[in-house]
PDB file of all heavy atoms in Angstrom:
ATOM      1  N   GLY F  35       7.651   2.378 -10.906  1.00  0.00           N
ATOM      2  CA  GLY F  35       7.081   3.515 -11.490  1.00  0.00           C
ATOM      3  C   GLY F  35       6.041   3.102 -12.505  1.00  0.00           C
ATOM      4  O   GLY F  35       5.180   4.012 -12.970  1.00  0.00           O
ATOM      5  N   ALA F  36       5.995   1.909 -12.977  1.00  0.00           N
ATOM      6  CA  ALA F  36       5.043   1.471 -13.974  1.00  0.00           C
ATOM      7  C   ALA F  36       3.670   1.258 -13.212  1.00  0.00           C
ATOM      8  O   ALA F  36       3.616   0.589 -12.113  1.00  0.00           O
ATOM      9  CB  ALA F  36       5.380   0.267 -14.671  1.00  0.00           C
ATOM     10  N   ARG F  37       2.577   1.752 -13.704  1.00  0.00           N
ATOM     11  CA  ARG F  37       1.283   1.536 -13.079  1.00  0.00           C
ATOM     12  C   ARG F  37       0.280   0.910 -14.141  1.00  0.00           C
ATOM     13  O   ARG F  37       0.307   1.309 -15.280  1.00  0.00           O
ATOM     14  CB  ARG F  37       0.678   2.850 -12.660  1.00  0.00           C
ATOM     15  CG  ARG F  37       1.550   3.523 -11.508  1.00  0.00           C
ATOM     16  CD  ARG F  37       0.882   4.787 -11.129  1.00  0.00           C
ATOM     17  NE  ARG F  37      -0.537   4.658 -10.866  1.00  0.00           N
ATOM     18  CZ  ARG F  37      -1.198   5.246  -9.842  1.00  0.00           C
ATOM     19  NH1 ARG F  37      -0.511   6.024  -9.057  1.00  0.00           N
ATOM     20  NH2 ARG F  37      -2.498   5.097  -9.718  1.00  0.00           N
ATOM     21  N   ARG F  38      -0.407  -0.019 -13.605  1.00  0.00           N
ATOM     22  CA  ARG F  38      -1.461  -0.595 -14.465  1.00  0.00           C
ATOM     23  C   ARG F  38      -2.645   0.492 -14.591  1.00  0.00           C
ATOM     24  O   ARG F  38      -2.771   1.215 -13.637  1.00  0.00           O
ATOM     25  CB  ARG F  38      -2.078  -1.801 -13.854  1.00  0.00           C
ATOM     26  CG  ARG F  38      -1.050  -2.950 -13.960  1.00  0.00           C
ATOM     27  CD  ARG F  38      -1.801  -4.226 -13.591  1.00  0.00           C
ATOM     28  NE  ARG F  38      -0.888  -5.363 -13.624  1.00  0.00           N
ATOM     29  CZ  ARG F  38      -0.508  -6.160 -12.656  1.00  0.00           C
ATOM     30  NH1 ARG F  38      -1.002  -5.982 -11.511  1.00  0.00           N
ATOM     31  NH2 ARG F  38       0.359  -7.051 -12.899  1.00  0.00           N
ATOM     32  N   LYS F  39      -3.309   0.563 -15.678  1.00  0.00           N
ATOM     33  CA  LYS F  39      -4.349   1.421 -15.860  1.00  0.00           C
ATOM     34  C   LYS F  39      -5.478   0.974 -14.868  1.00  0.00           C
ATOM     35  O   LYS F  39      -5.944  -0.145 -15.032  1.00  0.00           O
ATOM     36  CB  LYS F  39      -4.814   1.531 -17.246  1.00  0.00           C
ATOM     37  CG  LYS F  39      -5.884   2.562 -17.498  1.00  0.00           C
ATOM     38  CD  LYS F  39      -6.234   2.673 -18.975  1.00  0.00           C
ATOM     39  CE  LYS F  39      -7.249   3.832 -19.022  1.00  0.00           C
ATOM     40  NZ  LYS F  39      -7.595   4.056 -20.448  1.00  0.00           N
ATOM     41  N   PRO F  40      -5.853   1.873 -13.884  1.00  0.00           N
ATOM     42  CA  PRO F  40      -6.898   1.368 -12.941  1.00  0.00           C
ATOM     43  C   PRO F  40      -8.275   1.326 -13.666  1.00  0.00           C
ATOM     44  O   PRO F  40      -8.539   2.019 -14.573  1.00  0.00           O
ATOM     45  CB  PRO F  40      -6.881   2.477 -11.810  1.00  0.00           C
ATOM     46  CG  PRO F  40      -6.191   3.625 -12.407  1.00  0.00           C
ATOM     47  CD  PRO F  40      -5.297   3.123 -13.581  1.00  0.00           C
ATOM     48  N   ALA F  41      -9.065   0.481 -13.106  1.00  0.00           N
ATOM     49  CA  ALA F  41     -10.475   0.368 -13.653  1.00  0.00           C
ATOM     50  C   ALA F  41     -11.274   1.525 -13.268  1.00  0.00           C
ATOM     51  O   ALA F  41     -10.983   2.152 -12.214  1.00  0.00           O
ATOM     52  CB  ALA F  41     -11.082  -0.868 -13.023  1.00  0.00           C
ATOM     53  N   LYS F  42     -12.217   1.853 -14.132  1.00  0.00           N
ATOM     54  CA  LYS F  42     -13.141   3.050 -13.814  1.00  0.00           C
ATOM     55  C   LYS F  42     -13.969   2.665 -12.610  1.00  0.00           C
ATOM     56  O   LYS F  42     -14.085   1.529 -12.183  1.00  0.00           O
ATOM     57  CB  LYS F  42     -13.981   3.296 -15.069  1.00  0.00           C
ATOM     58  CG  LYS F  42     -13.197   3.751 -16.206  1.00  0.00           C
ATOM     59  CD  LYS F  42     -12.587   5.054 -15.975  1.00  0.00           C
ATOM     60  CE  LYS F  42     -11.728   5.515 -17.218  1.00  0.00           C
ATOM     61  NZ  LYS F  42     -10.898   6.670 -16.885  1.00  0.00           N
ATOM     62  N   LEU F  43     -14.613   3.767 -12.058  1.00  0.00           N
ATOM     63  CA  LEU F  43     -15.432   3.536 -10.812  1.00  0.00           C
ATOM     64  C   LEU F  43     -16.855   3.048 -11.338  1.00  0.00           C
ATOM     65  O   LEU F  43     -17.555   3.697 -12.035  1.00  0.00           O
ATOM     66  CB  LEU F  43     -15.627   4.860 -10.163  1.00  0.00           C
ATOM     67  CG  LEU F  43     -16.499   4.862  -8.954  1.00  0.00           C
ATOM     68  CD1 LEU F  43     -15.973   3.979  -7.795  1.00  0.00           C
ATOM     69  CD2 LEU F  43     -16.649   6.303  -8.361  1.00  0.00           C
ATOM     70  N   PRO F  44     -17.119   1.775 -11.044  1.00  0.00           N
ATOM     71  CA  PRO F  44     -18.459   1.277 -11.481  1.00  0.00           C
ATOM     72  C   PRO F  44     -19.666   1.957 -10.787  1.00  0.00           C
ATOM     73  O   PRO F  44     -19.569   2.283  -9.620  1.00  0.00           O
ATOM     74  CB  PRO F  44     -18.359  -0.274 -11.082  1.00  0.00           C
ATOM     75  CG  PRO F  44     -17.381  -0.333 -10.016  1.00  0.00           C
ATOM     76  CD  PRO F  44     -16.426   0.802 -10.194  1.00  0.00           C
ATOM     77  N   GLY F  45     -20.733   2.126 -11.527  1.00  0.00           N
ATOM     78  CA  GLY F  45     -21.883   2.731 -10.901  1.00  0.00           C
ATOM     79  C   GLY F  45     -21.835   4.163 -10.601  1.00  0.00           C
ATOM     80  O   GLY F  45     -22.418   4.610  -9.694  1.00  0.00           O
ATOM     81  N   PHE F  46     -20.869   4.933 -11.276  1.00  0.00           N
ATOM     82  CA  PHE F  46     -20.675   6.298 -10.881  1.00  0.00           C
ATOM     83  C   PHE F  46     -22.036   7.103 -10.992  1.00  0.00           C
ATOM     84  O   PHE F  46     -22.198   7.915 -10.081  1.00  0.00           O
ATOM     85  CB  PHE F  46     -19.670   6.930 -11.923  1.00  0.00           C
ATOM     86  CG  PHE F  46     -19.591   8.486 -11.669  1.00  0.00           C
ATOM     87  CD1 PHE F  46     -18.788   8.867 -10.630  1.00  0.00           C
ATOM     88  CD2 PHE F  46     -20.285   9.262 -12.465  1.00  0.00           C
ATOM     89  CE1 PHE F  46     -18.613  10.274 -10.405  1.00  0.00           C
ATOM     90  CE2 PHE F  46     -20.142  10.706 -12.206  1.00  0.00           C
ATOM     91  CZ  PHE F  46     -19.378  11.224 -11.154  1.00  0.00           C
ATOM     92  N   SER F  47     -22.820   6.933 -11.876  1.00  0.00           N
ATOM     93  CA  SER F  47     -24.088   7.627 -12.057  1.00  0.00           C
ATOM     94  C   SER F  47     -24.993   7.548 -10.823  1.00  0.00           C
ATOM     95  O   SER F  47     -25.483   8.534 -10.328  1.00  0.00           O
ATOM     96  CB  SER F  47     -24.959   7.207 -13.291  1.00  0.00           C
ATOM     97  OG  SER F  47     -24.267   7.479 -14.476  1.00  0.00           O
ATOM     98  N   LYS F  48     -25.013   6.294 -10.298  1.00  0.00           N
ATOM     99  CA  LYS F  48     -25.880   6.116  -9.055  1.00  0.00           C
ATOM    100  C   LYS F  48     -25.190   6.874  -7.877  1.00  0.00           C
ATOM    101  O   LYS F  48     -25.906   7.535  -7.062  1.00  0.00           O
ATOM    102  CB  LYS F  48     -26.046   4.649  -8.819  1.00  0.00           C
ATOM    103  CG  LYS F  48     -26.966   4.293  -7.738  1.00  0.00           C
ATOM    104  CD  LYS F  48     -27.186   2.830  -7.514  1.00  0.00           C
ATOM    105  CE  LYS F  48     -28.057   2.518  -6.455  1.00  0.00           C
ATOM    106  NZ  LYS F  48     -28.281   1.118  -6.200  1.00  0.00           N
ATOM    107  N   LEU F  49     -23.920   6.740  -7.726  1.00  0.00           N
ATOM    108  CA  LEU F  49     -23.203   7.379  -6.672  1.00  0.00           C
ATOM    109  C   LEU F  49     -23.326   8.904  -6.755  1.00  0.00           C
ATOM    110  O   LEU F  49     -23.572   9.540  -5.791  1.00  0.00           O
ATOM    111  CB  LEU F  49     -21.742   6.927  -6.707  1.00  0.00           C
ATOM    112  CG  LEU F  49     -21.362   5.457  -6.542  1.00  0.00           C
ATOM    113  CD1 LEU F  49     -19.895   5.294  -6.706  1.00  0.00           C
ATOM    114  CD2 LEU F  49     -21.896   4.932  -5.282  1.00  0.00           C
ATOM    115  N   PHE F  50     -23.214   9.398  -7.948  1.00  0.00           N
ATOM    116  CA  PHE F  50     -23.252  10.803  -8.182  1.00  0.00           C
ATOM    117  C   PHE F  50     -24.691  11.341  -7.808  1.00  0.00           C
ATOM    118  O   PHE F  50     -24.833  12.359  -7.058  1.00  0.00           O
ATOM    119  CB  PHE F  50     -23.025  11.140  -9.713  1.00  0.00           C
ATOM    120  CG  PHE F  50     -23.378  12.614 -10.030  1.00  0.00           C
ATOM    121  CD1 PHE F  50     -22.441  13.562  -9.803  1.00  0.00           C
ATOM    122  CD2 PHE F  50     -24.558  12.871 -10.563  1.00  0.00           C
ATOM    123  CE1 PHE F  50     -22.780  14.912 -10.047  1.00  0.00           C
ATOM    124  CE2 PHE F  50     -24.874  14.220 -10.938  1.00  0.00           C
ATOM    125  CZ  PHE F  50     -23.949  15.309 -10.639  1.00  0.00           C
ATOM    126  N   ASP F  51     -25.742  10.630  -8.211  1.00  0.00           N
ATOM    127  CA  ASP F  51     -27.078  11.028  -7.940  1.00  0.00           C
ATOM    128  C   ASP F  51     -27.357  10.994  -6.446  1.00  0.00           C
ATOM    129  O   ASP F  51     -28.023  11.917  -5.947  1.00  0.00           O
ATOM    130  CB  ASP F  51     -28.140  10.004  -8.569  1.00  0.00           C
ATOM    131  CG  ASP F  51     -28.145  10.183 -10.114  1.00  0.00           C
ATOM    132  OD1 ASP F  51     -27.676  11.189 -10.655  1.00  0.00           O
ATOM    133  OD2 ASP F  51     -28.766   9.230 -10.742  1.00  0.00           O
ATOM    134  N   SER F  52     -26.802  10.084  -5.665  1.00  0.00           N
ATOM    135  CA  SER F  52     -27.086  10.043  -4.243  1.00  0.00           C
ATOM    136  C   SER F  52     -26.393  11.201  -3.569  1.00  0.00           C
ATOM    137  O   SER F  52     -26.943  11.811  -2.642  1.00  0.00           O
ATOM    138  CB  SER F  52     -26.627   8.742  -3.667  1.00  0.00           C
ATOM    139  OG  SER F  52     -25.293   8.510  -3.798  1.00  0.00           O
ATOM    140  N   VAL F  53     -25.134  11.539  -4.064  1.00  0.00           N
ATOM    141  CA  VAL F  53     -24.449  12.695  -3.440  1.00  0.00           C
ATOM    142  C   VAL F  53     -25.085  13.975  -3.750  1.00  0.00           C
ATOM    143  O   VAL F  53     -25.273  14.880  -2.986  1.00  0.00           O
ATOM    144  CB  VAL F  53     -22.965  12.702  -3.843  1.00  0.00           C
ATOM    145  CG1 VAL F  53     -22.210  13.974  -3.415  1.00  0.00           C
ATOM    146  CG2 VAL F  53     -22.192  11.442  -3.319  1.00  0.00           C
ATOM    147  N   ARG F  54     -25.529  14.157  -5.073  1.00  0.00           N
ATOM    148  CA  ARG F  54     -26.246  15.265  -5.459  1.00  0.00           C
ATOM    149  C   ARG F  54     -27.502  15.526  -4.664  1.00  0.00           C
ATOM    150  O   ARG F  54     -27.785  16.620  -4.198  1.00  0.00           O
ATOM    151  CB  ARG F  54     -26.607  15.225  -7.041  1.00  0.00           C
ATOM    152  CG  ARG F  54     -27.282  16.472  -7.552  1.00  0.00           C
ATOM    153  CD  ARG F  54     -27.972  16.155  -8.855  1.00  0.00           C
ATOM    154  NE  ARG F  54     -29.010  15.091  -8.542  1.00  0.00           N
ATOM    155  CZ  ARG F  54     -29.389  14.206  -9.518  1.00  0.00           C
ATOM    156  NH1 ARG F  54     -28.799  14.169 -10.666  1.00  0.00           N
ATOM    157  NH2 ARG F  54     -30.257  13.322  -9.233  1.00  0.00           N
ATOM    158  N   ASP F  55     -28.258  14.505  -4.520  1.00  0.00           N
ATOM    159  CA  ASP F  55     -29.556  14.598  -3.788  1.00  0.00           C
ATOM    160  C   ASP F  55     -29.282  14.985  -2.347  1.00  0.00           C
ATOM    161  O   ASP F  55     -29.995  15.867  -1.797  1.00  0.00           O
ATOM    162  CB  ASP F  55     -30.344  13.269  -3.842  1.00  0.00           C
ATOM    163  CG  ASP F  55     -30.807  12.888  -5.219  1.00  0.00           C
ATOM    164  OD1 ASP F  55     -30.775  13.828  -6.117  1.00  0.00           O
ATOM    165  OD2 ASP F  55     -31.188  11.742  -5.467  1.00  0.00           O
ATOM    166  N   TRP F  56     -28.243  14.394  -1.746  1.00  0.00           N
ATOM    167  CA  TRP F  56     -27.853  14.764  -0.341  1.00  0.00           C
ATOM    168  C   TRP F  56     -27.496  16.242  -0.290  1.00  0.00           C
ATOM    169  O   TRP F  56     -27.994  17.007   0.612  1.00  0.00           O
ATOM    170  CB  TRP F  56     -26.737  13.845   0.120  1.00  0.00           C
ATOM    171  CG  TRP F  56     -26.330  14.279   1.514  1.00  0.00           C
ATOM    172  CD1 TRP F  56     -25.433  15.248   1.856  1.00  0.00           C
ATOM    173  CD2 TRP F  56     -26.866  13.841   2.660  1.00  0.00           C
ATOM    174  NE1 TRP F  56     -25.224  15.312   3.212  1.00  0.00           N
ATOM    175  CE2 TRP F  56     -26.163  14.444   3.791  1.00  0.00           C
ATOM    176  CE3 TRP F  56     -27.815  12.811   3.146  1.00  0.00           C
ATOM    177  CZ2 TRP F  56     -26.430  14.151   5.119  1.00  0.00           C
ATOM    178  CZ3 TRP F  56     -28.046  12.615   4.427  1.00  0.00           C
ATOM    179  CH2 TRP F  56     -27.400  13.241   5.384  1.00  0.00           C
ATOM    180  N   LEU F  57     -26.626  16.657  -1.190  1.00  0.00           N
ATOM    181  CA  LEU F  57     -26.228  18.108  -1.169  1.00  0.00           C
ATOM    182  C   LEU F  57     -27.361  19.054  -1.414  1.00  0.00           C
ATOM    183  O   LEU F  57     -27.365  20.106  -0.729  1.00  0.00           O
ATOM    184  CB  LEU F  57     -25.085  18.290  -2.190  1.00  0.00           C
ATOM    185  CG  LEU F  57     -23.722  17.733  -1.856  1.00  0.00           C
ATOM    186  CD1 LEU F  57     -22.729  17.819  -3.065  1.00  0.00           C
ATOM    187  CD2 LEU F  57     -23.167  18.436  -0.569  1.00  0.00           C
ATOM    188  N   GLU F  58     -28.294  18.724  -2.266  1.00  0.00           N
ATOM    189  CA  GLU F  58     -29.459  19.595  -2.502  1.00  0.00           C
ATOM    190  C   GLU F  58     -30.262  19.662  -1.268  1.00  0.00           C
ATOM    191  O   GLU F  58     -30.819  20.749  -0.887  1.00  0.00           O
ATOM    192  CB  GLU F  58     -30.201  19.150  -3.612  1.00  0.00           C
ATOM    193  CG  GLU F  58     -29.521  19.288  -5.013  1.00  0.00           C
ATOM    194  CD  GLU F  58     -30.257  18.769  -6.213  1.00  0.00           C
ATOM    195  OE1 GLU F  58     -31.339  18.117  -5.968  1.00  0.00           O
ATOM    196  OE2 GLU F  58     -29.752  19.030  -7.404  1.00  0.00           O
TER     197      GLU F  58
END
Side-chain angles (χ1 to χ4, degrees):
R37 292 177 52 139
R38 290 189 177 120
K39 186 173 182 176
K42 296 294 180 191
L43 180 62
F46 174 82
S47 294
K48 186 176 179 181
L49 299 175
F50 172 82
D51 289 346
S52 62
V53 173
R54 181 199 59 215
D55 293 347
W56 177 272
L57 285 170
E58 287 175 357

